């Protein structure tokens, strides 16, 4: 039987407050045109705490299960944790599973903190997916003290549908798997895109004399990994291609590391969209599924405006992009065909931060019916449904 989760009293209190205020004020949203997706989003419902029995915190990745396999049911929501019980970043080792039908949350996986095959150990990031074959792939960008001073290169971990570790992927192309994955999954083959934001990132104490901020290193990449998936066996890597490179990345004491985070594919899978956090923009990589070389930092789609250091990215059913802001609690809707920012909605208006909700938003995923989306709020360690 899956292990049930224990909800701390403080988390329960915070959840209760948010459930009572599930409908945000209408003034908190703006959307232009009848086809704006956010114009149809009116309610925000807190569903569950993401804190498992070991006390891991800081929910990052969100994945909606495409199939029923092992202890996962189709449409379950998997969420991983980046921080440990002491709230140190890069030390989270757990993935939890929320079932929308039963409204129960259970522990899906608890990984060993120290893993020789994963350079530096385990600290689970926004990079996670579940394939149609039932395998789960999740990124690790580990630390020993909660900062990049002790950051390891990390790895990608492959788990079976019962949450058991079966293999790791490491090597020179893998350093700080960071952003939410984009996937083309054909069942027996898959193409997985993941950003790498850890190459030569120093301690946050290494400062740029001109800006006073930690030094920016323009070495972040987006890696495409091609897999074959033999029946009943773990995915096998058949190729790796860096499809984009040269993005800025830097250490940060508050958020560990800043780099390209959001990845989303166009409906025809031809174009990969990337949120370049430090560039405060969304860029496009053409022919991402087939290209054999890097497109550099790609083509600018949308920049500045309502974007405030964009992180997670998702494609809506009407072909628009939703980007979660890091520097406030808004999600921004963008038409990638024109680059126009159609509107923004406060999905986290917590005034304990300034601006409200800043530093709280990470993963985002569409609901299976396309009528809403899931997101996580870091400050309450909660999973939220927007509809």
């Amino acid at each position: 039987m899956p292990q049930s989760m224990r909800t701390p009293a403080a988390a329960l209190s915070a959840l209760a407050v948010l459930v009572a205020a599930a409908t945000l004020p209408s003034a908190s949203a703006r959307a232009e045109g009848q086809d704006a997706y956010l114009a149809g989003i009116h309610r925000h419902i807190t569903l569950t705490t993401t804190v498992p029995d070991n006390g891991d915190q800081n929910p990052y990745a969100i994945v909606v299960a495409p199939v029923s396999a092992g202890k996962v049911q189709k449409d379950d929501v998997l969420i991983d944790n980046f921080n440990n019980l002491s709230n140190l970043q890069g030390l989270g080792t757990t993935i939890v599973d929320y079932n929308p039908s039963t409204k129960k949350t259970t522990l899906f996986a608890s990984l060993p903190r120290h893993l020789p095959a994963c350079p530096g150990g385990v600290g689970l990031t926004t990079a996670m997916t579940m394939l149609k074959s039932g395998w789960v792939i999740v990124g690790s960008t580990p630390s020993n003290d909660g900062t990049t001073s002790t950051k390891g290169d990390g790895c990608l971990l492959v788990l079976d549908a019962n949450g058991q570790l079966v293999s790791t992927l490491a090597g020179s192309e893998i350093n700080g798997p960071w952003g939410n994955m984009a996937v083309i999954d054909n069942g027996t083959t898959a193409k997985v895109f993941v950003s790498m934001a850890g190459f030569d990132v120093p301690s946050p104490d290494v400062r740029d004399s001109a800006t006073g901020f930690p030094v920016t290193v323009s070495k972040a990449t987006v890696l495409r990994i091609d897999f074959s998936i033999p029946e009943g066996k773990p995915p096998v890597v058949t190729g790796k291609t860096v499809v984009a490179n040269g993005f800025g990345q830097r250490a940060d004491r508050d958020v560990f590391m800043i780099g390209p985070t959001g990845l989303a594919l166009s409906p025809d899978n031809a174009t990969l969209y990337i949120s370049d956090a430090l560039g405060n923009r969304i860029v496009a990589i053409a022919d991402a599924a087939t290209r054999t070389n890097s497109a550099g930092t790609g083509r600018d789609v949308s920049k500045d405006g309502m974007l405030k250091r964009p992180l997670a990215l998702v494609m809506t059913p009407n072909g628009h992009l939703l980007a979660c802001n890091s520097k406030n609690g808004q999600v921004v809707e963008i038409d990638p065909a024109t680059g126009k920012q159609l509107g923004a909605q406060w999905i986290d208006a917590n005034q304990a931060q300034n601006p409200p909700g800043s530093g709280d938003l990470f993963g985002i995923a569409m609901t299976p019916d396309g009528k809403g989306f899931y997101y996580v709020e870091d400050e309450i360690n909660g999973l939220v449904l927007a509809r």
Side-chain angles (χ1 to χ4, degrees), residues 129-205:
T129 191
M130 182 178 186
L131 301 177
K132 294 176 182 177
S133 49
W135 301 100
V136 173
I137 303 174
V138 61
S140 170
T141 299
S143 173
N144 288 323
D145 65 354
T147 78
T148 56
S149 300
T150 58
K151 184 191 76 66
D153 289 353
C155 66
L156 296 172
L157 306 162
V158 180
L159 316 178
D160 66 19
N162 288 309
Q164 299 301 306
L165 179 65
V166 294
S167 65
T168 61
L169 305 176
S172 59
E173 308 98 331
I174 296 175
N175 193 315
W178 196 240
N180 57 287
M181 292 179 175
V183 182
I184 302 171
D185 187 353
N186 297 313
T188 58
T189 63
K191 296 177 183 290
V192 174
F193 299 86
V194 58
S195 66
M196 302 289 169
F199 294 104
D200 298 326
V201 171
S203 159
D205 296 325

Side-chain angles (χ1 to χ4, degrees), residues 97-152:
D97 179 343
Y98 173 75
N99 183 296
S101 298
T102 65
K103 297 180 170 44
K104 291 183 178 178
T105 305
T106 55
L107 182 69
F108 171 70
S110 181
L111 295 160
R113 170 72 191 96
H114 301 287
L115 195 63
C118 190
V122 173
L124 302 182
T125 69
T126 324
M128 185 167 70
T129 191
M130 182 178 186
L131 301 177
K132 294 176 182 177
S133 49
W135 301 100
V136 173
I137 303 174
V138 61
S140 170
T141 299
S143 173
N144 288 323
D145 65 354
T147 78
T148 56
S149 300
T150 58
K151 184 191 76 66

Side-chain angles (χ1 to χ4, degrees), residues 3-9 11 49-59 80-89 91-96 107 109-110 378 380-381:
Q3 181 178 346
S4 295
M5 303 231 320
R6 179 181 69 239
T7 306
T49 177
T50 55
V51 179
D53 280 350
N54 76 343
D56 275 0
Q57 304 176 52
N58 201 0
D80 70 10
N81 290 294
F82 187 53
N83 294 20
N84 68 357
L85 173 65
S86 301
N87 209 24
L88 293 177
Q89 301 174 101
L91 281 84
T93 60
T94 51
I95 303 171
V96 301
L107 182 69
S110 181
D378 168 65
I380 63 159
N381 294 300

Side-chain angles (χ1 to χ4, degrees), residues 15 19 45-49 77 98 100 103 105 374 382-386:
L15 290 172
V19 170
I45 306 163
T46 303
L47 300 173
T48 184
T49 177
V77 185
Y98 173 75
K103 297 180 170 44
T105 305
Y374 295 107
L383 174 68
V384 185
L385 170 64

Side-chain angles (χ1 to χ4, degrees), residues 4-329:
S4 295
M5 303 231 320
R6 179 181 69 239
T7 306
L12 276 172
S13 176
L15 290 172
V17 170
L18 283 180
V19 170
T23 303
L24 295 181
S26 59
S28 66
R30 298 195 315 276
E32 298 179 9
Q34 294 182 346
D35 64 341
Y37 183 83
L38 288 177
I41 300 297
H42 304 292
R43 301 181 68 230
H44 297 256
I45 306 163
T46 303
L47 300 173
T48 184
T49 177
T50 55
V51 179
D53 280 350
N54 76 343
D56 275 0
Q57 304 176 52
N58 201 0
Y60 257 35
I62 303 176
V63 171
V64 177
V67 294
S68 293
K71 58 185 180 182
V72 178
Q73 298 299 307
K74 185 178 184 298
D75 299 340
D76 279 7
V77 185
L78 300 177
I79 312 107
D80 70 10
N81 290 294
F82 187 53
N83 294 20
N84 68 357
L85 173 65
S86 301
N87 209 24
L88 293 177
Q89 301 174 101
L91 281 84
T93 60
T94 51
I95 303 171
V96 301
D97 179 343
Y98 173 75
N99 183 296
S101 298
T102 65
K103 297 180 170 44
K104 291 183 178 178
T105 305
T106 55
L107 182 69
F108 171 70
S110 181
L111 295 160
R113 170 72 191 96
H114 301 287
L115 195 63
C118 190
V122 173
L124 302 182
T125 69
T126 324
M128 185 167 70
T129 191
M130 182 178 186
L131 301 177
K132 294 176 182 177
S133 49
W135 301 100
V136 173
I137 303 174
V138 61
S140 170
T141 299
S143 173
N144 288 323
D145 65 354
T147 78
T148 56
S149 300
T150 58
K151 184 191 76 66
D153 289 353
C155 66
L156 296 172
L157 306 162
V158 180
L159 316 178
D160 66 19
N162 288 309
Q164 299 301 306
L165 179 65
V166 294
S167 65
T168 61
L169 305 176
S172 59
E173 308 98 331
I174 296 175
N175 193 315
W178 196 240
N180 57 287
M181 292 179 175
V183 182
I184 302 171
D185 187 353
N186 297 313
T188 58
T189 63
K191 296 177 183 290
V192 174
F193 299 86
V194 58
S195 66
M196 302 289 169
F199 294 104
D200 298 326
V201 171
S203 159
D205 296 325
V206 179
R207 299 273 168 166
D208 185 320
S209 58
T211 67
F213 290 110
V215 65
T216 295
V217 181
S218 298
K219 291 187 178 182
T221 69
V222 175
L223 180 68
R224 186 188 74 224
I225 307 176
D226 299 334
F227 291 99
S228 67
I229 308 163
E231 187 174 355
K233 295 183 179 179
V236 176
V237 176
T238 58
K240 297 178 188 173
T241 304
V242 174
V243 299
N245 73 304
F247 296 102
Q249 53 187 19
R250 78 176 188 221
D252 187 281
R253 284 206 175 274
D254 292 331
V255 298
F256 191 73
M257 199 162 67
I258 305 170
T261 302
L263 301 178
L265 285 158
S266 60
D268 61 2
N269 291 329
T271 303
L272 179 69
Y273 297 100
I274 304 168
S275 67
D276 175 10
L278 287 176
N280 202 40
R281 60 181 177 166
I282 309 298
V283 303
I285 304 297
D287 306 316
T290 56
R291 66 182 312 117
T292 58
N293 59 359
S294 174
T297 58
R299 169 181 60 84
D300 279 12
V301 173
S302 190
K303 185 178 174 68
D304 297 334
M306 287 179 273
L307 293 174
K308 306 296 179 185
R309 192 179 288 166
L311 296 182
L313 203 62
V314 72
M315 181 70 67
T316 67
N318 63 347
H320 293 171
L321 292 166
L322 297 181
C324 289
N325 279 339
S326 169
K327 299 185 82 171
N328 65 27

